[in-house]
């Protein structure tokens, strides 16, 4: 068979062979390697091939079986559990709990204290800036939750 025709016929069969090897091996990268080995065997053979698709299927399948046989099974007792992935439901429950607790705190604050809390703890404003927004001193804003400063009773 003409080498250029052989290469063209192989390339026409390549997607089918890769799909076959991927299904057998369960790994697309390893399947590509096996198909490449099949190409090397085809390129190195001097025999007359009656049906190229059948020959390539047989060679690819045998190469896949060789790969599967060469895999060393890992005994179950040697497998150590890896890092346990956190359950997303736990994160949702924690977020709900924190949200309820935060709402309970905010409900007990005066309007000025709420503003000070949100500006400082949530948005990271400095106490000087918080005090300016709620008509208070920085010391009062820091220690009493930004209760407005009163100059006269």
């Amino acid at each position: 068979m003409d080498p250029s025709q052989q290469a063209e016929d192989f390339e026409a069969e390549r997607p089918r062979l890769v799909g076959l090897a991927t299904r057998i091996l369960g790994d697309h990268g390893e399947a590509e390697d096996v198909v490449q080995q099949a190409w090397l065997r085809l390129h190195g053979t001097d025999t007359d091939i009656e049906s190229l698709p059948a020959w390539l299927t047989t060679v690819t399948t045998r190469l896949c079986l060789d790969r599967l046989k060469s895999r060393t099974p890992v005994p179950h007792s040697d497998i150590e559990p890896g890092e346990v992935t956190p359950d997303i439901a736990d994160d949702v429950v924690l977020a709900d709990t924190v949200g309820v607790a935060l709402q309970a705190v905010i409900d007990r604050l005066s309007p000025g204290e709420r503003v000070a809390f949100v500006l400082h703890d949530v948005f990271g404003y400095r106490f000087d800036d918080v005090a300016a927004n709620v008509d208070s001193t920085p010391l009062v804003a820091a220690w009493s939750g930004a209760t407005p400063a009163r100059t006269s009773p």
Side-chain angles (χ1 to χ4, degrees), residues 5-79:
Q5 182 62 40
Q6 189 180 43
E8 190 176 305
D9 291 344
F10 176 79
E11 287 303 319
E13 291 293 319
R14 181 183 288 274
R16 183 182 63 82
L17 296 172
V18 169
L20 172 69
T22 301
R23 286 188 295 278
I24 292 172
L25 297 172
D27 182 359
H28 184 74
E30 196 172 10
E32 289 280 346
D33 292 344
V34 166
V35 171
Q36 190 62 32
Q37 286 179 346
W39 163 251
L40 293 174
R41 292 208 178 165
L42 174 64
H43 189 65
T45 188
D46 293 334
T47 59
D48 187 32
I49 299 172
E50 289 182 32
S51 173
L52 183 64
W55 190 90
L56 288 170
T57 301
T58 302
V59 170
T60 302
T61 304
R62 288 182 181 165
L63 288 170
C64 287
L65 290 175
D66 290 344
R67 287 271 179 123
L68 289 173
K69 288 178 187 176
S70 70
R71 290 182 180 170
T72 306
V74 179
H76 293 290
S77 61
D78 292 347
I79 299 175

Side-chain angles (χ1 to χ4, degrees), residues 46-135:
D46 293 334
T47 59
D48 187 32
I49 299 172
E50 289 182 32
S51 173
L52 183 64
W55 190 90
L56 288 170
T57 301
T58 302
V59 170
T60 302
T61 304
R62 288 182 181 165
L63 288 170
C64 287
L65 290 175
D66 290 344
R67 287 271 179 123
L68 289 173
K69 288 178 187 176
S70 70
R71 290 182 180 170
T72 306
V74 179
H76 293 290
S77 61
D78 292 347
I79 299 175
E80 294 186 24
E83 184 179 312
V84 178
T85 57
D87 189 8
I88 295 174
D90 292 340
D91 292 342
V92 171
V93 170
L94 179 62
D96 285 344
T97 304
V98 169
V100 169
L102 184 60
Q103 188 62 46
V105 168
I106 289 177
D107 287 344
R108 293 184 180 163
L109 298 176
S110 70
E113 291 171 337
R114 287 182 191 184
V115 170
F117 176 79
V118 171
L119 289 176
H120 180 263
D121 291 355
V122 177
F123 293 107
Y125 278 72
R126 295 177 318 146
F127 283 118
D128 295 338
D129 298 331
V130 172
N133 285 321
V134 293
D135 294 329

